[in-house]
Amino acid sequence: PLGELTTMWPSVAVWAGGLAVLAGLVATLRPFPTLGLGTRGRAAALLAAGLLTAIAGLAWPAPPQWASGRTLLDAAMPTWQFRERHALAVAAPPDRVYRALRQVRADEIAFFRALTWLRRGGRPLPPGILNPGTDPMIDVALQGGFVLLGEAAPGELVIGTVLVRPGGTATPDSALFGRSPPDGAVLAAMNFRVTPDGPGGSLVSTETRVAAGGPGARRRFALYWRVIYPGSAFIRRMWLRAIRARATGGPPGEPAAMLGPWS
């Protein structure tokens, strides 16, 4: 789908291009004939190709997308430009899975603390999603800048946060959702959704949407999103695995049917 193309492939281009630039720089100092980089000319060509690829990824357009109006997330964020979705099959009924997603903690999510430490550059921050304590992750988010946008247990939970507040407004955060964001604002909403999946089983999914108000805000956020997307996607997949582990009593790393972003 176009929405996934504009989210995933630009990030792939940015990272692939960045790695090519790094390889080209190294090869200009020390050629690697076995890799086809035996001359500085070839190394320079790889560097240039990597740079162009990374720039193309950063400049990739982010067209608006619209919701179908069927979920609480659709009501909270009916239009957006950036999106990621992940889903996981769980051998537990929906009510148990929903309780698990409400109770799972940061220390149950593989690599969560390490990746959020990198994300904040090692800086000490107040308790919140980037510096969680021992409370359940949903509670941490709601205590640290997120607002509850909707809940229908055991089916769906939606939280949101204002990443960039529009200038000159004191509008409450929750009032900014449910419509197109004002110029200059950047809003993010994330849901967890649990649906029945076969006898006694469930499908748990999480979707994140980001809406930027105006071309300038959209371009600035695109630069950030395309760099952090791989880490963001990894954290969400590990989050789903932690929910699965708590719901079934298994370890977070246990193999399971992880569905792709197009599911």
Side-chain angles (χ1 to χ4, degrees):
L2 178 61
E4 299 299 343
L5 181 66
T6 58
T7 291
M8 185 170 66
W9 293 115
S11 182
V12 171
V14 168
W15 281 91
L19 291 173
V21 168
L22 179 60
L25 286 172
V26 172
T28 59
L29 301 175
R30 182 180 178 181
F32 293 95
T34 57
L35 298 178
L37 299 173
T39 67
R40 287 188 171 85
R42 288 187 175 183
L46 177 63
L47 190 155
L51 186 61
L52 289 174
T53 300
I55 291 173
L58 291 173
W60 192 280
Q65 302 171 62
W66 290 272
S68 60
R70 295 176 299 193
T71 67
L72 295 179
L73 180 61
D74 290 340
M77 185 161 286
T79 182
W80 67 93
Q81 296 94 18
F82 306 91
R83 171 185 183 263
E84 65 171 291
R85 184 180 187 273
H86 309 279
L88 177 68
V90 182
D95 58 341
R96 191 188 306 168
V97 176
Y98 195 88
R99 284 197 303 271
L101 78 84
R102 263 298 201 164
Q103 296 168 355
V104 74
R105 303 184 308 270
D107 58 4
E108 299 174 66
I109 304 172
F111 305 106
F112 184 89
R113 293 188 185 277
L115 288 172
T116 52
W117 183 86
L118 290 172
R119 179 92 167 264
R120 67 178 189 266
R123 295 172 297 150
L125 293 177
I129 200 76
L130 293 181
N131 187 28
T134 58
D135 290 336
M137 282 297 300
I138 296 299
D139 294 342
V140 169
L142 294 176
Q143 295 162 9
F146 283 75
V147 293
L148 183 65
L149 299 176
E151 183 171 16
E156 187 179 5
L157 171 77
V158 185
I159 59 176
T161 189
V162 179
L163 299 176
V164 179
R165 175 170 286 280
T169 178
T171 304
D173 287 359
S174 58
L176 293 171
F177 291 86
R179 55 191 176 91
S180 296
D183 190 58
V186 180
L187 312 178
M190 178 175 70
N191 82 337
F192 287 93
R193 194 176 181 205
V194 183
T195 55
D197 184 40
S202 303
L203 185 69
V204 58
S205 64
T206 181
E207 181 174 342
T208 299
R209 297 175 183 175
V210 180
R218 185 164 61 250
R219 285 193 297 268
R220 288 188 294 272
F221 186 78
L223 300 179
Y224 171 75
W225 178 258
R226 282 152 189 176
V227 172
I228 63 96
Y229 177 80
S232 173
F234 181 80
I235 284 177
R236 281 155 178 76
R237 285 174 175 261
M238 294 302 101
W239 198 330
L240 292 182
R241 286 177 178 257
I243 293 169
R244 192 259 342 263
R246 180 176 273 270
T248 62
E254 178 186 343
M258 180 71 74
L259 305 181
W262 290 282
S263 61

